[in-house]
Each structure stands twice: as structure tokens, then as C-alpha cells.
Amino acid sequence: MDSTAPSRAQSEVAELLSELIRIDTTNTGDTATSAGERAAAEWVAGKLDEVGIDSVIHESERGRASLVARIPGADRSRPALLVHGHLDVVPADPAEWSVHPFSGEERDGYVWGRGAVDMKDMDAMVLALVRDWARTGVQPPRDVVLAFVADEEAGGKLGARWLVDEHPDLFADCSEAISEVGGFSITVRDDLRLYLVQTAEKGLAWMRLTAGGRPGHGSFVHDDNAVTRLCQAVARIGASRLPTVLTPPMRQFLAAVEDAYGIEIDPDAPEEALARLGSISRMIGAALRNTANPTMLQAGYKANVIPGTASATVDGRFLHGQEEEFERQLASLVGEGVQREWIVHDQAVETTFDGPLVDLMVEALKAEDAGARPVPFTMSGGTDAKSFQRLGMRCFGFSPLRLPADLDFASLFHGIDERVPVESLQFGVRVLDRFLRSV
């Protein structure tokens, strides 16, 4: 296969991404204040319809739309492959950005805007590729199911999880899935790049802590203060550094880092060695342990009134196989007099870095980059794999991007001035073309 093919997909992928970014799909976590998911799903449907690919839009609530399409394969008796991506994005404040976050501006070799890396880039690469296939008559070896879904940024309850619960038949024959946050490069030297393929992600445990106390006048001496009790718990959680736990994919990843850099990593203190990876070490380091970070506080209604309750929101994440231990860790940190309730709670996901599908990922990356060395890793965040894994699929993060060595990629996820190189998008199209033609 010509390594520059498919040329039309490469030429249109940046414009498709720009158009999709210009559809503001901000997900606040509340349907009343979220926007654009229906418009984005209809835009995707239109782009597919232009080349004769049928799709169906499903709504969990008014405006919370997800699109599903199926591309028939040559052998329809084989299990299908799911390629899924979310259309929603986290909020962005234009005052903080160099460009408007929903402009989709292309400049300096990058496409800029909210969703450029999380994850409208993958949406655009897949869309550009399947449009090219439809125009040129390419048929994959087996069925490929496409899902462009809503609500991932709020845990997927109104998107992937709703589809899995209400329309599992759409994915009944899917044995494997690929999606975001994997297949991107870390440059070791000019002739060697590690490509991180996500084989695991931490479980999601967003929680609300509520402390009670005796309300009263702010001028009195008061030893039963809900705010004080809550703040003590929050401070303990925020200052905690839970023990290192090396899961199988992270052991494989650290072994690859040792080999690539010619160093020895202390398994009890791996962060020092991971610093060599640059900014991405923050993402990797967070997958070495369970974590809990306070993110929001709510208390009181007047300066001179001690409230009867105070609450905080905590973003908790636990490693695969660590859910019960995480519960014990939380209990010791929260302490007495503070109640805990889950806001969003979802499983950790893990699979192995082996098998025919992984072999094809490795081959596709190496065909486009002779210096590629694919390795597995655990992602500290979460994706819609948590939902689709419930149907028995092996889920991988494989959104291939060859990145400039000096790009602070980790900071772009939910960050200011989010952007992706046009050359990286074109590389991703080529890799996905090789991979999906072979599955």
C-alpha cells in the first residue's frame, strides 16, 4: 500500500476538524446548559450521507444525541470492530485563549480549538478516512461500527452508557474497540519514539463529601463547625499521596522506558525516572497509584452565619483491581463526621497488550514511522471504554499521532490553547487506514 494514501482523506482531515470544532458542543454536565451535541451528530450524519454511508441518531434526552453507523466488511461472519469517539467537549473561556476556542482556526501548522485533541481530532480522522473509502470503494475485512457519542465528558451516562443499556443490539457482535488517548508518540531520540497504546484506564469515583455541625452566629465561640470539619477532611485528602501500585500494563511500560533510555527504574519510586518523559510524566505518574483530588467547595450563605452543613466535591480515580483498597484509603482520610456519596462511579478497565489486533496496531505504526516502538500504558483519566467494555469488548486507546518532540501534549487535554498539528492528523489517517484495512 502506498504510504501516502489515502490522499483525499489527508487533504480534508484538518478542515473537517475545524468545522467540527466550530460546533460548540460544551458539556457542563447539565442538559439545560450543555450545547451542540445534536448539531454535531447531524453534521457527522451529513458528512457520511454525502458519500452514501447510512447512520442513525439516537437521543437519550432532548439534544443529547449520539450517532451510530456500520460499514459492511468483506467477511460478515466475523465479529465487528467498534471505532468510537465523543462529540462533546469541556467548557472553555475565550478570554484565556490566544484564539477563540470554537474558531477551529488553522495557523502555524496546527488546528486550534476546544476538542482538537480531546477528541474531535480522532473523530475527524475517522470521518475523513471512511469518506475516502466510500468514494474509492474500499471495504474493510470485517464490519466496522462507528459511534460518535454524547456526554463522555460527564461520565457518558447520556451517551455511551445509555447506548449500551438501551441499544446493546447495535454492538452485539463487536469483539474489540478503539478510541481516544493512545497511539501518540514520545520522542526518545531522532530514531526512536515510544507510541503509547492505552490498554487500561483507572476507575472513576467522583464523590460529594458533606459535613454537618451546629449552625449559629458567626461571632460566637463555636467548636462544632461544619466548615472546619469539612476542611480538615479536604486537607487530608488533598495532601495524601497514596502508595505506588504497579499494574501489569504499567510494569510493561516501565520496562520499555528502562530499555529505551538505558536506565534502571526503582519500582518503589518510579516518578524520578519518568521525569525524563517530559510533561507526559504527569499523566503517566498518576497511573501509578490511586488518587483523590478535591475540586469544589460549597458552604454557607452569609458572612456572620455558621452553616449547618458544608460540602466538597472530590475527583477520585482507582486502578484496576484496587477498588476495595481505594474505599479503605478514602475512609481513613475522610474521618468521622463526614458523609460520602458517589456522584459518578464507574469501573476500571484493563486488557492485555497482545493478540492479532495489537499486532496490527504495531505493524501500522511501524510502517509509517520506522522509529516507532509501541508500548502499553494505563491512562489516569477515563473514556467511554468503561461503557463498551460492559458488552465484553476488549477496549484500546488508539488515536495515532506522531507529535513534535517539543509539544507539551499532556497540557492540551482540557487545557488552554488546545491544538493538534496538521501533520499529526495526516499521519493518523495513514496509520488508521493501514490498520483498519487489515483488521
Side-chain angles (χ1 to χ4, degrees), residues 36-42 44-45 55-69 84-88 146-152 156-164 167 170-171 384 388:
E37 287 168 324
R38 177 79 197 195
E42 290 177 350
V44 172
S55 62
V56 178
I57 294 176
H58 304 267
E59 278 194 343
S60 54
E61 293 182 358
R62 186 173 177 81
R64 311 308 298 271
S66 298
L67 176 146
V68 180
H84 62 97
H86 63 86
L87 295 170
D88 62 319
L146 306 177
F148 296 85
V149 304
D151 199 41
E152 191 274 347
K157 181 180 177 182
L158 300 177
R161 185 64 180 274
W162 181 82
L163 286 173
V164 165
H167 298 282
L170 295 172
F171 315 103
D384 284 325
F388 291 116

Side-chain angles (χ1 to χ4, degrees), residues 185-195 365-374 402:
S185 67
I186 297 174
T187 299
V188 179
R189 54 180 188 265
D190 288 345
D191 64 343
L192 178 59
R193 277 160 294 282
L194 299 179
Y195 281 82
L365 285 167
K366 287 186 173 181
E368 291 299 332
D369 181 0
R373 186 180 297 177
R402 178 171 172 172

Side-chain angles (χ1 to χ4, degrees), residues 8 12-23 39-55 57 67 69 71 87 123-124 126-135 146 148:
R8 186 159 180 182
E12 78 169 4
V13 63
E15 180 54 33
L16 287 173
L17 175 56
S18 292
E19 288 184 30
L20 189 51
I21 287 171
R22 286 195 285 271
I23 304 172
E42 290 177 350
W43 177 85
V44 172
K47 294 298 181 183
L48 293 175
D49 185 62
E50 283 177 2
V51 294
I53 298 175
D54 294 330
S55 62
I57 294 176
L67 176 146
I71 299 173
L87 295 170
D123 296 333
V126 171
L127 193 55
L129 180 60
V130 299
R131 279 164 57 86
D132 190 86
W133 280 6
R135 294 187 190 103
L146 306 177
F148 296 85

Side-chain angles (χ1 to χ4, degrees), residues 120-328:
K120 291 181 176 180
D121 57 342
M122 177 66 164
D123 296 333
M125 289 190 295
V126 171
L127 193 55
L129 180 60
V130 299
R131 279 164 57 86
D132 190 86
W133 280 6
R135 294 187 190 103
T136 57
V138 172
Q139 185 176 34
R142 55 168 161 159
D143 283 12
V144 174
V145 176
L146 306 177
F148 296 85
V149 304
D151 199 41
E152 191 274 347
E153 295 293 2
K157 181 180 177 182
L158 300 177
R161 185 64 180 274
W162 181 82
L163 286 173
V164 165
D165 289 344
E166 300 298 326
H167 298 282
D169 54 298
L170 295 172
F171 315 103
D173 62 338
C174 294
S175 58
E176 296 147 321
I178 64 166
S179 189
E180 62 178 325
V181 199
F184 59 90
S185 67
I186 297 174
T187 299
V188 179
R189 54 180 188 265
D190 288 345
D191 64 343
L192 178 59
R193 277 160 294 282
L194 299 179
Y195 281 82
L196 279 59
V197 177
Q198 185 202 141
T199 59
E201 61 183 56
K202 296 172 80 174
L204 186 59
W206 293 346
M207 69 200 81
R208 182 177 293 107
L209 306 181
T210 303
R214 190 174 70 252
H217 200 288
S219 67
F220 295 171
V221 175
H222 207 91
D223 58 5
D224 185 19
N225 189 317
V227 175
T228 302
R229 183 172 293 115
L230 177 74
C231 287
Q232 289 170 341
V234 167
R236 286 192 297 270
I237 291 170
S240 67
R241 190 175 183 80
L242 301 175
T244 299
V245 177
L246 295 183
T247 58
M250 290 308 290
R251 287 185 184 277
Q252 287 181 271
F253 175 77
L254 293 176
V257 171
E258 283 185 318
D259 182 63
Y261 287 90
I263 59 176
E264 186 173 339
I265 297 177
D266 180 354
D268 295 322
E271 285 93 345
E272 183 177 344
L274 289 181
R276 289 173 176 261
L277 303 180
S279 63
I280 204 71
S281 64
R282 288 176 289 153
M283 180 188 291
I284 302 299
L288 296 171
R289 54 175 50 84
N290 300 328
T291 57
N293 287 305
T295 55
M296 298 170 67
L297 293 169
Q298 302 89 27
Y301 53 90
K302 199 169 186 295
N304 62 349
V305 178
I306 296 170
T309 62
S311 64
T313 303
V314 175
D315 182 344
R317 312 278 174 147
F318 55 88
L319 292 163
H320 190 262
Q322 283 280 302
E323 186 171 354
E324 291 184 5
E325 177 60 21
F326 182 59
E327 293 267 7
R328 288 190 286 270

